[in-house]
Amino acid sequence: MSRMKRFLTLFLFLAILFSSSLYTAPKETAQARTIAQVENDIQECKKLIEQLQNEQKQISGEISKLGSASKVTNDTLNTYIKEIDSINAEIELTNATIETYSLKIAELESEIILKSETLEYYNRLYDSIVVYSFKQGDVSLLQILFEAESFSDFLTRLDNITYFLNYTETVKKEIRKAKTELETSQAKLKTAKDEQDEYLKELEAKKVALSQKKAEFEAKAKTLGASLKDFEGKYAS
């Protein structure tokens, strides 16, 4: 390979590699809600659920005190109603939390697709650099540099080689960054799915607790000869 041909090869490679038409970088599309906004909604739901659970503990304490009396009163039934209402509210809020997790999971899945495309984009760029280097065989960049025929030619070659080396290092850094971000998003997705599964389990447990509490209420109401119609509208059926 002649000296001039070697230089032209490097110059053409740089021109093609860095042209915008070679590869198109992935672009993030505008989303209605960010993951951070969804996570904020989840945190708000968690706070409300915690408040309801604390309320239920207090009501359970009231029921325990009333249960020590041999006689069932309307106060006893009303206390049961309060607990049933609270459990119903927690079930609704847990459902909302699960739906919010679904939004977060969908956003993370979209983010992972984008980050995968970004990683693939930089991997393709780096592959082009490797292919170029392989085709040059044993010809080093320094050899190309010192084959300059004039000082002006030397400076031009130096600029191109410096740009080539800097860009190669930049591509490597972007690959490491894209890989780290992809792995982080994948870990977040796994965590979100695991947390959603926990809420699904809690939801089923709350439904069982609600059925049990309603059964207790009905048993107590019968001792007063009370009808559920007397309490209609006070808790969800």
Side-chain angles (χ1 to χ4, degrees), residues 22-211:
L22 180 60
Y23 299 124
T24 302
K27 294 182 180 180
E28 186 172 0
T29 56
Q31 296 175 333
R33 303 179 70 204
T34 65
I35 292 175
Q37 289 173 326
V38 174
E39 286 178 342
N40 184 62
D41 290 344
I42 289 173
Q43 292 305 317
E44 289 300 317
C45 286
K46 286 181 178 179
K47 289 178 183 178
L48 291 172
I49 288 174
E50 186 178 355
Q51 290 174 9
L52 286 169
Q53 288 173 341
N54 290 332
E55 176 185 292
Q56 287 164 31
K57 288 178 183 178
Q58 293 176 353
I59 296 171
S60 293
E62 293 176 24
I63 290 175
S64 296
K65 290 178 183 178
L66 291 169
S68 62
S70 58
K71 186 178 179 181
V72 176
T73 65
N74 280 330
D75 286 341
T76 307
L77 298 183
N78 285 328
T79 305
Y80 270 97
I81 293 298
K82 285 166 59 179
E83 187 170 19
I84 289 169
D85 283 343
S86 182
I87 295 173
N88 266 320
E90 186 179 351
I91 287 173
E92 290 177 5
L93 195 53
T94 302
N95 271 320
T97 304
I98 291 168
E99 290 176 5
T100 308
Y101 266 107
S102 294
L103 290 175
K104 181 180 179 179
I105 288 169
E107 294 290 350
L108 284 168
E109 287 174 342
S110 296
E111 185 177 88
I112 286 172
I113 291 173
L114 178 66
K115 292 186 183 302
S116 297
E117 291 174 350
T118 300
L119 179 59
E120 183 182 354
Y121 164 75
Y122 284 112
N123 277 331
R124 287 201 306 268
L125 282 181
Y126 187 70
D127 286 345
S128 297
I129 294 171
V130 172
V131 169
Y132 166 78
S133 299
F134 178 77
K135 287 182 177 179
Q136 296 311 300
D138 296 330
V139 178
S140 68
L141 294 176
L142 286 177
Q143 185 177 349
I144 294 174
L145 184 65
F146 288 114
E147 286 175 350
E149 298 178 351
S150 65
F151 184 67
S152 176
D153 184 26
F154 176 85
L155 292 178
T156 299
R157 290 167 184 254
L158 178 61
D159 285 343
N160 284 332
I161 290 172
T162 300
Y163 188 81
F164 173 76
L165 293 174
N166 288 341
Y167 193 83
T168 300
E169 187 58 33
T170 297
V171 170
K172 288 180 180 179
K173 288 179 180 178
E174 290 297 334
I175 288 173
R176 291 193 292 269
K177 178 184 175 183
K179 185 178 180 181
T180 299
E181 290 181 353
L182 176 60
E183 290 172 349
T184 299
S185 294
Q186 289 171 333
K188 286 182 178 180
L189 178 62
K190 182 181 182 305
T191 299
K193 288 183 174 180
D194 289 343
E195 290 177 356
Q196 186 185 49
D197 286 342
E198 287 301 315
Y199 275 99
L200 286 166
K201 291 175 184 176
E202 287 182 19
L203 178 62
E204 293 306 312
K206 278 297 169 184
K207 287 179 178 179
V208 171
L210 179 62
S211 296

